[in-house]
Amino acid sequence: MSFKEGFLWGGATAANQCEGAYDADGKGLSVADAMPGGRQRFSVISAPEFNWEIEPDKYTYPNHVGIDHYHRFKEDIALFAEMGFKSYRFSIAWSRIFPKGDEETPNEKGLEFYDQLIDECLKYGIEPVVTISHYEMPLYLAKEYGGWKNRQVVDFFERYATILFERYAQKVKYWMTFNEINSAMEFPALSQGLIVATGSEDYTNRFQAWHHQFVASALAVKIGKSQRSDIQIGCMQIYAPLYAFDCNPVNQFASQLKQRAFDYFTSDVQVRGYYPTYLKQLLKEYDAEAPKMEEGDEELLRENTVDYIGFSYYMSMAINETSAEDSDPAAGNLMEGVRNPFLESSEWGWQIDPLGLRISLNDLWDRYQVPLFIVENGLGAKDEINKNGEIIDDYRIDYMQKHIAAMHDAVEDGVDLMGYTPWGCIDLVAASTGEMSKRYGFIYVDLDDEGNGTLDRKKKKSFDWYKEVIATNGEASL
Ligand code: BG6
């Protein structure tokens, strides 16, 4: 079997989408806490009049309850252990540790929660894989400091990362700094805390924010390594093949430019340790000024590159410059493109492309030669409970089976793949739409989009299937 010994089979979640308890035990508000639920959430938050206040009379906030993982994590981790998880990727909510973000001392209650969560994983031999910042920057930093475009945020993050490594590095070997750092190309509010009121539409701010995140990520690597020599700290990005719509060189070139901007820019800096020479062209394309750097930044980036690339893979897109009017726009994971006539789509319009995963793994490996870790993948779908009380999610099994087969092929091609943590291993609130009905889990959670339900957990058919996949180190999926 091609998956290596110790392959990190598991599952992934994010604090803001599953914990709930949004104001418990001293937690402050995060950007995610102020995002209304519903399919229109991105257009709502992109409107200039949106004020990032909590307005329960006007909006719903599914994240405030999430799936109550905060109180039910023991039950959830026991179910993960039953599936045989080797790893569990979760994020730490920054606003549990520093409620506003700029405090001098951390909130002990928040730290204690993650002590328990980590210990619970270790009890079952599950490796915790921690994302330091997953779309949940303290709201105060976004509103009062302008998010990541402000250099001061680097200091606040450094303090936060230092506390986390001091407290958890001996127990947690695998880390990632920023979730989907490249998503700011389309939606900077989530990963950069950059909102309309503080200039999110200006790409100069986005590039400046990225620079600060690169510096902060490099500092985290430096601090983490000083705490534990075998620690593994990765970057994390969305990766999606952006195919040329046809063999017209104009579309080939457009696809190359788009891949650079979206798929490679952030990892080029974080893996190689320096800005690519195409930065100049990129800034021109986005009408942005070069990010301001401080003395020592370049050295810091060069000396503190990441150990591996964590990435999410859900779909691919096509790029059509020559006849875009003849193509349908495709829905997607925080990116833009057109529909590919050779692919089928999920109920939410995300194009399903398992071979694209093999292509992605090979492209990333060829470019960087560092280990790769698929830290998100999966099918968001509506699940029904049948009259026998079962959830027969064959569509999900089919999706994952094909993606695992593609992973296997990529490993045979020579790619170094560390692990696979499919997204939303237990149903949780969707990031792009704030819906519960867009489900990814092997475990069903009884909760609807309006917040009705018992929150009871129930195994889906995919639960036993994935258990078998892990038990056979992937063979059951081929
Ligand atoms: C990624 C994010 O973009 O995709 C997750 O890292 C997110 O936070 C996942 O949940 C799936 O997207 P969605 O919108 O279906 O939840």
Side-chain angles (χ1 to χ4, degrees):
M1 193 53 216
S2 60
F3 295 114
K4 58 175 149 184
E5 215 187 306
F7 189 79
L8 292 167
W9 296 101
T13 65
N16 74 84
Q17 292 170 255
C18 71
E19 284 178 3
Y22 81 109
D23 59 356
D25 297 330
K27 182 181 172 298
L29 289 177
S30 74
V31 172
D33 294 329
M35 283 175 60
R39 291 203 183 189
Q40 302 312 317
R41 68 174 1 189
F42 282 156
S43 42
V44 171
I45 66 167
S46 303
E49 64 276 12
F50 186 69
N51 60 13
W52 295 87
E53 297 292 326
I54 307 289
E55 296 182 281
D57 297 340
K58 210 162 159 189
Y59 305 117
T60 58
Y61 298 95
N63 306 43
H64 290 190
V65 175
I67 55 161
D68 198 28
H69 189 57
Y70 190 74
H71 297 110
R72 297 170 193 239
F73 69 90
K74 289 191 180 168
E75 178 187 350
D76 297 341
I77 292 172
L79 286 164
F80 300 159
E82 195 183 326
M83 268 187 283
F85 276 24
K86 311 286 180 217
S87 66
Y88 173 38
R89 175 188 175 220
F90 58 88
S91 68
I92 292 184
W94 188 349
S95 58
R96 279 199 199 286
I97 313 302
F98 289 100
K100 282 161 64 188
D102 62 354
E103 298 90 340
E104 297 273 326
T105 48
N107 171 31
E108 180 59 26
K109 284 261 184 225
L111 291 166
E112 280 168 14
F113 170 68
Y114 295 105
D115 283 335
Q116 291 173 45
L117 187 66
I118 291 166
D119 287 346
E120 199 64 19
C121 291
L122 298 177
K123 181 171 123 186
Y124 295 104
I126 296 174
E127 284 279 358
V129 177
V130 171
T131 317
I132 299 178
S133 181
H134 188 133
Y135 294 165
E136 54 219 350
M137 168 184 244
L139 184 61
Y140 185 79
L141 294 186
K143 288 175 82 170
E144 302 302 320
Y145 287 87
W148 275 101
K149 76 170 192 208
N150 187 331
R151 179 88 194 193
Q152 276 177 283
V153 173
V154 175
D155 299 335
F156 303 144
F157 182 86
E158 186 181 0
R159 194 178 296 153
Y160 167 53
T162 304
I163 294 284
L164 299 191
F165 288 123
E166 280 174 1
R167 185 98 168 199
Y168 308 125
Q170 298 318 313
K171 292 179 175 178
V172 178
K173 182 175 172 188
Y174 298 96
W175 299 75
M176 277 169 281
T177 49
F178 296 102
N179 182 65
E180 298 193 335
I181 187 168
N182 56 337
S183 66
M185 193 54 94
E186 306 291 347
F187 284 104
L190 299 182
S191 65
Q192 296 187 330
L194 192 52
I195 58 182
V196 178
T198 58
S200 61
E201 299 321 296
D202 182 347
Y203 275 86
T204 298
N205 289 332
R206 300 193 198 189
F207 279 93
Q208 189 62 60
W210 266 317
H211 180 66
H212 293 153
Q213 289 183 302
F214 296 148
V215 169
S217 178
L219 279 168
V221 170
K222 190 174 172 188
I223 302 160
K225 303 257 173 209
S226 72
Q227 291 290 326
R228 176 172 178 167
S229 59
D230 68 343
I231 203 164
Q232 295 289 295
I233 305 177
C235 56
M236 195 303 191
Q237 65 178 90
I238 302 174
Y239 192 92
L242 301 170
Y243 305 124
F245 189 72
D246 56 23
C247 53
N248 186 331
V250 173
N251 288 329
Q252 294 289 332
F253 186 57
S255 140
Q256 184 181 51
L257 289 185
K258 191 88 182 162
Q259 285 236 241
R260 268 179 177 179
F262 193 81
D263 283 330
Y264 295 124
F265 169 59
T266 56
S267 44
D268 276 355
V269 180
Q270 293 185 287
V271 179
R272 294 171 170 166
Y274 52 88
Y275 279 89
T277 47
Y278 64 76
L279 174 68
K280 214 168 138 194
Q281 171 268 329
L282 199 58
L283 293 169
K284 204 165 148 199
E285 196 184 329
Y286 286 89
D287 195 21
E289 284 167 31
K292 292 189 188 63
M293 304 194 194
E294 288 189 1
E295 214 187 312
D297 284 359
E298 283 178 313
E299 200 186 344
L300 186 81
L301 296 183
R302 205 175 282 272
E303 288 176 358
N304 298 284
T305 53
V306 291
D307 298 306
Y308 66 92
I309 299 174
F311 68 101
S312 61
Y313 180 86
Y314 293 95
M315 57 170 308
S316 63
M317 288 270 186
I319 303 299
N320 188 353
E321 287 274 306
T322 51
S323 54
E325 63 284 358
D326 299 332
S327 329
D328 301 330
N333 188 22
L334 308 174
M335 72 192 81
E336 281 179 353
V338 301
R339 220 174 54 74
N340 181 334
F342 300 99
L343 299 178
E344 289 181 359
S345 298
S346 78
E347 291 170 77
W348 273 263
W350 294 19
Q351 304 182 98
I352 301 170
D353 184 9
L355 183 56
L357 179 56
R358 182 176 182 181
I359 295 169
S360 304
L361 286 162
N362 275 289
D363 277 352
L364 283 165
W365 175 248
D366 286 352
R367 192 174 182 108
Y368 299 116
Q369 306 275 303
V370 296
L372 305 175
F373 193 170
I374 301 165
V375 294
E376 286 187 35
N377 171 242
L379 180 71
K382 286 195 178 116
D383 292 322
E384 303 288 341
I385 302 182
N386 70 17
K387 57 180 184 317
N388 301 322
E390 304 154 327
I391 299 149
I392 309 294
D393 55 342
D394 288 324
Y395 36 90
R396 183 168 294 109
I397 294 173
D398 181 60
Y399 176 103
M400 296 187 69
Q401 186 272 328
K402 289 183 174 135
H403 284 79
I404 294 172
M407 280 155 48
H408 165 84
D409 292 342
V411 171
E412 294 285 293
D413 295 337
V415 167
D416 183 355
L417 184 61
M418 295 163 61
Y420 179 63
T421 56
W423 178 249
C425 45
I426 179 165
D427 292 347
L428 37 64
V429 179
S432 57
T433 61
E435 293 169 295
M436 257 322 282
S437 50
K438 189 180 188 192
R439 297 173 184 274
Y440 288 86
F442 306 110
I443 302 162
Y444 183 88
V445 178
D446 179 25
L447 189 67
D448 67 16
D449 289 337
E450 280 72 47
N452 307 306
T454 59
L455 287 164
D456 284 351
R457 277 56 172 154
K458 190 177 188 60
K459 296 172 197 172
K460 303 180 193 175
K461 184 177 176 186
S462 55
F463 184 101
D464 288 324
W465 172 81
Y466 192 47
K467 183 178 177 179
E468 186 63 14
V469 169
I470 298 176
T472 57
N473 197 22
E475 198 154 349
S477 186
L478 302 181

